[in-house]
């Protein structure tokens, strides 16, 4: 496994590997866990050369957010990559990625200003910009993202389509703890009480999914039931809750045959968590659960 900190060095390494061989990219901010392992496995099974980037991107954190407190576990991350068969780890510094203040940004609108984008203004502009830079640096054939960050996945897919990147975006199903909590690098910052309380998100999402699949047609009825569950947990501070079409994240006025996704953002102490759950209204189709 090669470790690279410079953009030009990475490009030189990949030039020698590119001829007739596919390149896969797994972009991460480090603090790798079993969810990242799933991304690496999917990529390793598909592409000849696998690049994992580890970069805690400062431009996607807003004022007062947890950039400085974001977990950094570099030695463990590198060991996970080595065991997973990663070929190249790209771990640039902020100065390498942003040698001068940016005058160019990528904004996917209005999608990036909605849902989590409304809770964290500017967040998705930072995400889209750094991913665009990574795509330009690595020039992968495929890039792998978790479906837990569903809005991010939809936003990256739209950016790739709009800017004509010759890249296939692969969404990998959410990996959860045995008790249902979606894996996240931020989970390590939950104290025992907030860790217990955070399970309310999965309970609410599962309940909403069952209502939809049982034939409930009114989104507000489902949202009201989910809000009641989450707001019944004293340690949960609900930031956003919505139901959108799974393909384009359009608002849903009434459930039809199109699959939908429920998206939730909630604060537990100092930690902001997101989760999602896809559901299929009754139509004879198979539900996609992540």
């Amino acid at each position: 496994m090669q470790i690279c900190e410079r953009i030009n060095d990475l490009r030189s390494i990949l030039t020698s590997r590119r001829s007739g061989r596919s390149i896969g990219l797994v972009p991460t901010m480090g603090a790798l866990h079993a969810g990242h392992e799933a991304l690496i496995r999917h990529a390793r099974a598909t592409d000849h050369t696998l690049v994992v980037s580890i970069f805690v991107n400062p431009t996607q954190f807003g004022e007062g957010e947890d950039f400085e407190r974001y977990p950094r576990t570099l030695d463990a991350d590198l060991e996970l990559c080595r065991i997973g068969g990663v070929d190249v780890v790209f771990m640039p510094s902020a100065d390498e990625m942003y040698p001068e203040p940016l005058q160019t940004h990528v904004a996917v609108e209005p999608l990036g200003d909605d849902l989590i984008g409304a809770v964290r203004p500017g967040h998705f502009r930072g995400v889209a910009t750094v991913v665009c830079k990574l795509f330009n640096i690595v020039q992968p054939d495929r890039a792998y993202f978790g479906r837990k960050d569903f809005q991010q996945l939809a936003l990256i897919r739209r950016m790739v389509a709009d800017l004509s990147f010759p890249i296939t975006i692969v969404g990998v199903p959410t990996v959860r703890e045995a008790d249902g909590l979606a894996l996240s690098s931020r989970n390590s910052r939950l104290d025992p009480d907030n860790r217990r309380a955070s399970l309310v998100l999965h309970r609410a999402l599962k309940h909403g999914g069952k209502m939809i699949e049982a034939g409930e047609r009114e989104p507000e009825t489902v949202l009201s039931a989910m809000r009641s569950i989450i707001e019944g947990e004293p340690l949960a501070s609900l930031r956003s809750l919505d139901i959108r079409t799974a393909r384009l994240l359009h608002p849903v006025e009434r459930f039809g045959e199109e699959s939908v996704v429920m998206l939730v953002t909630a604060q537990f102490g100092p930690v902001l968590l997101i989760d999602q759950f896809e559901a299929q209204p009754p139509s004879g189709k198979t539900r996609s659960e992540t």
Side-chain angles (χ1 to χ4, degrees):
M1 185 175 76
Q2 295 178 274
I3 299 173
C4 185
E5 298 179 356
R6 301 290 185 182
I7 293 171
N8 287 339
D9 292 343
L10 177 64
R11 284 174 166 159
S12 295
I13 290 169
L14 295 179
T15 295
S16 65
R17 289 174 170 266
R18 193 178 301 279
S19 180
R21 299 170 67 83
S22 65
I23 293 176
L25 171 65
V26 177
T28 84
M29 293 208 302
L32 305 185
H33 49 65
H36 297 104
E37 286 184 294
L39 299 177
I40 289 170
R41 282 197 305 273
H42 275 74
R44 182 72 285 168
T46 305
D47 293 298
H48 298 102
T49 296
L50 172 54
V51 179
V52 170
S53 63
I54 297 176
F55 178 60
V56 184
N57 176 39
T59 68
Q60 67 191 66
F61 289 82
E63 185 177 353
E65 291 188 338
D66 56 356
F67 173 72
E68 295 297 337
R69 299 188 302 274
Y70 193 87
R72 292 161 171 84
T73 57
L74 184 57
D75 289 344
D77 294 347
L78 293 176
E79 180 63 11
L80 185 149
C81 289
R82 185 190 65 78
I83 293 172
V86 173
D87 297 296
V88 185
V89 176
F90 179 48
M91 34 184 286
S93 66
D95 286 342
E96 180 69 9
M97 290 295 282
Y98 307 117
E100 298 180 5
L102 284 178
Q103 297 188 36
T104 303
H105 302 271
V106 179
V108 182
E109 298 171 337
L111 179 56
D113 298 326
D114 199 5
L115 301 169
I116 296 171
V119 175
R120 303 180 66 188
H123 168 70
F124 282 120
R125 187 177 80 158
V127 170
T129 301
V130 76
V131 171
C132 188
K133 283 178 68 73
L134 288 169
F135 285 174
N136 186 41
I137 293 164
V138 178
Q139 297 184 23
D141 297 279
R142 277 169 286 273
Y144 299 81
F145 295 84
R147 294 178 72 84
K148 178 179 76 73
D149 296 313
F150 200 92
Q151 185 178 0
Q152 173 180 277
L153 176 62
L155 179 138
I156 296 301
R157 283 177 165 158
R158 184 58 187 260
M159 180 186 77
V160 164
D162 286 351
L163 300 184
S164 302
F165 279 107
I167 299 171
T168 299
I169 303 301
V170 181
V172 177
T174 303
V175 178
R176 298 182 181 274
E177 300 277 9
D179 57 11
L181 180 65
L183 290 183
S184 168
S185 301
R186 288 186 167 87
N187 291 353
S188 64
R189 295 182 50 226
L190 293 167
D191 64 28
D193 288 340
N194 280 305
R195 172 65 176 76
R196 173 198 54 76
S198 67
L199 299 179
V200 73
L201 299 185
H202 192 230
R203 289 200 302 272
L205 290 168
K206 284 185 67 177
H207 182 76
K210 288 178 180 178
M211 291 179 68
I212 293 169
E213 290 165 3
E216 175 59 54
R217 293 295 182 184
E218 297 297 330
E220 187 51 46
T221 301
V222 177
L223 289 169
S224 178
M226 294 170 65
R227 283 193 205 99
S228 179
I229 292 171
I230 297 170
E231 291 172 353
E233 170 51 65
L235 296 182
S237 177
L238 184 61
R239 302 288 297 277
S240 68
L241 178 65
D242 213 330
I243 301 174
R244 298 295 179 94
T245 62
R247 193 170 73 87
L248 297 173
L249 289 186
H250 287 161
V252 178
E253 294 183 0
R254 184 174 172 83
F255 299 122
E257 293 191 351
E258 185 174 2
S259 61
V260 298
V261 60
M262 296 163 285
L263 306 110
V264 62
T265 306
Q267 192 89 25
F268 295 87
V271 183
L272 184 70
L273 296 181
I274 65 172
D275 204 349
Q276 57 78 35
F277 196 91
E278 291 176 75
Q280 176 65 60
S283 63
K285 298 178 182 179
T286 302
R287 173 169 61 87
S288 171
E289 177 182 344
T290 62

